[in-house]
Amino acid sequence: MIRLDEVRFGYGPRRVLDIPRLLVEQGSSVLLRGVSGGGKSTLLGLLAGVLLPGSGRVEVAGHALQGMPGPARDRFRADHLGVIFQQFNLLPFLSVRDNVALGLRFSRRRSERISGPLDAEIARLLRALQLDPGLMPRRAGTLSVGQQQRVAAARALIGRPAVLLADEPTSALDRDAASAFLQLMSAQCQSAGTTVVVVSHDDSLQPLFNRTIALSEINQAGGADA
């Protein structure tokens, strides 16, 4: 599902990533761990096609991203990726329902994967993530941090994306809450066949994943990420 070959990336003269090879199998769940400033977010940017490598090949869900123009990479993200941002990036003035539905707005392909009414699927995802569907009309900005996190996860998961990318998704939670949330999220990914890549500095999360990759072990660059 994910393949990197001889990938190098830098900001100006400062090399941040130098990854000879990385393979992630379809349907697996991977914890990519490393220290803050170690290049984890940059790697997610490459996997999402937001950043392009200076050299090498980045292939995700059968697409070679380094050779695609910007509009094609935008379409790729909309059709194939779900993303959970560290700060969730919900639109606070929109309802919970409309925030989750944003995951489909730019992708007919993901919309077509939903069988039945959209609101029923949104309610199903919210229940699966232990969030009351009765909150669907509420503005996202009025929710607690834990509730916003679950809404962000539902938005990323709707339409069964091929790959879920999550950047420090549990940074605002204590250890018990983080573990519970990741277990709920993982169950939904497994049922949809979604490949999961989570970046975190928290080593305690390792038992929740099929595989753990230390970025320092695959990255030959000595640079740092913002």
Side-chain angles (χ1 to χ4, degrees):
M1 181 57 68
I2 294 172
R3 177 171 182 156
L4 274 62
D5 289 303
E6 301 297 338
V7 168
R8 295 177 179 86
F9 180 89
Y11 296 103
R14 179 169 58 93
R15 182 168 292 180
V16 175
L17 294 175
D18 183 347
I19 301 176
R21 188 172 177 84
L22 173 63
L23 296 174
V24 176
E25 295 181 357
Q26 181 176 355
S28 62
S29 62
V30 174
L31 175 66
L32 182 68
R33 63 179 181 83
V35 298
S36 297
K40 302 187 302 300
S41 294
T42 294
L43 180 52
L44 278 193
L46 290 171
L47 297 178
V50 175
L51 302 174
L52 291 176
S55 61
R57 181 179 179 85
V58 178
E59 184 176 314
V60 181
H63 293 72
L65 303 185
Q66 76 285 344
M68 296 169 63
R73 284 183 278 119
D74 292 342
R75 171 57 55 193
F76 159 79
R77 278 192 296 276
D79 286 344
H80 299 287
L81 299 186
V83 181
I84 302 177
F85 301 94
Q86 186 171 355
Q87 302 301 325
F88 310 145
N89 286 15
L90 299 178
L91 297 180
F93 52 86
L94 290 184
S95 68
V96 167
R97 185 262 181 206
D98 289 345
N99 267 282
V100 176
L102 279 175
L104 304 174
R105 185 169 182 178
F106 304 104
S107 175
R108 180 186 299 176
R109 181 174 296 187
R110 283 176 69 172
S111 296
E112 290 173 347
R113 296 188 193 125
I114 294 177
S115 58
L118 174 57
D119 282 4
E121 174 62 8
I122 293 174
R124 184 195 69 79
L125 273 174
L126 294 178
R127 288 191 197 94
L129 294 166
Q130 294 188 351
L131 194 62
D132 183 359
L135 293 173
M136 286 171 63
R138 283 266 300 273
R139 287 190 297 111
T142 67
L143 303 179
S144 69
V145 170
Q147 290 171 328
Q148 289 186 38
Q149 179 193 52
R150 285 162 169 75
V151 173
R155 180 184 61 189
L157 290 169
I158 197 164
R160 294 185 289 130
V163 178
L164 177 71
L165 304 176
D167 188 0
E168 299 280 5
T170 61
S171 60
L173 303 178
D174 61 38
R175 180 167 297 182
D176 290 343
S179 178
F181 168 72
L182 286 176
Q183 289 181 57
L184 293 169
M185 186 185 76
S186 294
Q188 291 306 300
C189 290
Q190 288 174 13
S191 65
T194 299
T195 303
V196 181
V197 178
V198 171
V199 300
S200 179
H201 64 277
D202 188 352
D203 290 344
S204 71
L205 302 178
Q206 292 186 48
L208 302 175
F209 294 84
N210 301 145
R211 180 183 175 196
T212 298
I213 300 172
L215 184 56
S216 61
E217 295 179 359
I218 63 170
N219 182 22
Q220 297 182 353
D225 181 21

